[in-house]
Amino acid sequence: MSELVPGGNLPLPEGAVTVRVAGPFDVSALVTDEGGKVRGDADFVFYNQPSAPGIRLTGDTLTVDPRRLRAGAARVTVVVSAADPAAVLGRLPVPVLEVARVSGGPLARFTPSRPRQETVLLLAELYRRGDGWKLRALGQGYADGLAGLARDFGVDVLEETPTATGAAASVTTGAGRPTTARPAHPAAPGSPAHGLPAAPAPPTQRFPSAPRRASEPYPRPPAPPSPPPTPPAPRPTPSSPTRSPDLDTFLTLVNSARTTAGSPPVTLDPRLTEAAHSHASAMASAGRLGVEGPDGVSVFQRVTATGYAYITVGEHLVSGPRNPAEFVEYCLRTEQPRRTLRDAAFTHAGLAYVSRGRSGDTYWTALWARPLTTADLARTADEVVVLTNRERAKAGLPPLAVDHHLAGAAQAYSTDMAARAFYSHTSPEGTQPWDRAAAAGSTRRSIGENIACGQRSAGEVVEGWMNSPGHRANILKPGFTHIGVGFAGGGPAGTYWTQLFGG
């Protein structure tokens, strides 16, 4: 069984699979087409509407048969929220996603980070890739509950006024019947952090105070009165978007905030700005935020396609701000975006925004990176070795020595996964870890491998491995005496890590 990390993916076998989230949660699913939008009410599966073509919800388990989904379906997004309207996700057990074959046999498990302000989590998505289907771990949250989620997927939500015992929400698409959802979490009027969106603000108050993740939809102002019908504006294309007119303002504000935090300034890199522009255009064309655009290309792949190789990378994907000053203001007001903006590891930045047709929604991409150098790559690998040996020392085990054959094989495999956008212990050609170690010249008699993707530092990746029983067993195996570490940036997940053990 694969232990997935955010951004990690794996191919699904033919036929139906089960997706289970045990615990005090409501499980639901959204079926969308290539544009990322639902077509009608039948695309929303939840406890009060437990079936759709190819999907059935039974208790805490979704059964999904991609072959039987409605025509045009390209993605099934798995969503969880608290079953108790009075509960807060951050105070509940972390929801663990388990995927298995219907005929028996586990496929994958995903444990996201513990929620904070979020009241709804996108745990994973099943998506079409060529003639097959794949599973990707997400872990993205929404602070304004079902309403924010539904709007992002093209569903209109009509909310009633909050009361002391909560409120009901009617979920409908333009062509469908309303469906009554479970009462939302009780909250004071205007408090989106507990599951109910804030009451509409006056036009001069554009942004609510509740924190949101950098990859979530930026709150929108109340809609103006409907104008007379006009022909729809053309969808934006890479050749006709609006670039940010004032990168100097952005850079000045960013570096002022970094100086206050004790971090060195960043400089604008045209390659990062080019990648940001390409990704903002893709999001605007699709009308939705996402690390991966409708063309199947991730923001990290767009960075490496410009020739910028990085040792560390960060991103802000946001919709809503009207200018660079508002964008920076949002980043500084919210914890995770603020941490990224101030991160001392970054030396370069890029920014772009694109407005989307008649809707006027603006999609922003900011990229932060540090270029890859031989010294940084060696330092990162050394940090992984040091942290790994620290864990072995806690268990009373001797340290692992670096083996240059294992290191060469591990580095080549991380680079290969990033370049060819796959994530598996088995390469597309069918080679296994011991095959790759032998091909690199290793003569070790026993070989083990840990891989990971999406982590942004040596500390984060080793912590993730130690929290996974299978990976932990490799790190703490008494029979292993040597190690090699590989790292590469790019691909759908952004970072790819390999530990190759020998004994």
Side-chain angles (χ1 to χ4, degrees), residues 410-431:
Q411 182 57 46
Y413 198 56
S414 285
T415 301
D416 193 27
M417 287 192 291
R420 294 200 286 171
F422 73 94
Y423 179 68
S424 172
H425 290 289
T426 304
S427 76
E429 292 75 31
T431 63

Side-chain angles (χ1 to χ4, degrees), residues 45-72:
V45 177
F46 66 117
Y47 86 102
N48 206 32
Q49 183 172 283
S51 65
I55 306 180
R56 174 166 291 279
L57 174 63
T58 306
D60 59 8
T61 301
L62 288 162
T63 302
V64 183
D65 188 344
R67 300 168 302 178
R68 300 182 181 277
L69 295 174
R70 54 99 168 150

Side-chain angles (χ1 to χ4, degrees), residues 391-453:
E391 297 296 337
R392 288 177 64 87
K394 292 177 185 177
L397 296 170
L400 301 172
V402 174
D403 181 302
H404 71 277
H405 295 300
L406 297 179
Q411 182 57 46
Y413 198 56
S414 285
T415 301
D416 193 27
M417 287 192 291
R420 294 200 286 171
F422 73 94
Y423 179 68
S424 172
H425 290 289
T426 304
S427 76
E429 292 75 31
T431 63
Q432 301 292 337
W434 43 89
D435 301 320
R436 296 187 288 272
S442 174
T443 58
R444 303 290 166 190
R445 300 185 63 178
S446 62
I447 294 293
E449 182 181 77
N450 285 345
I451 58 175
C453 64

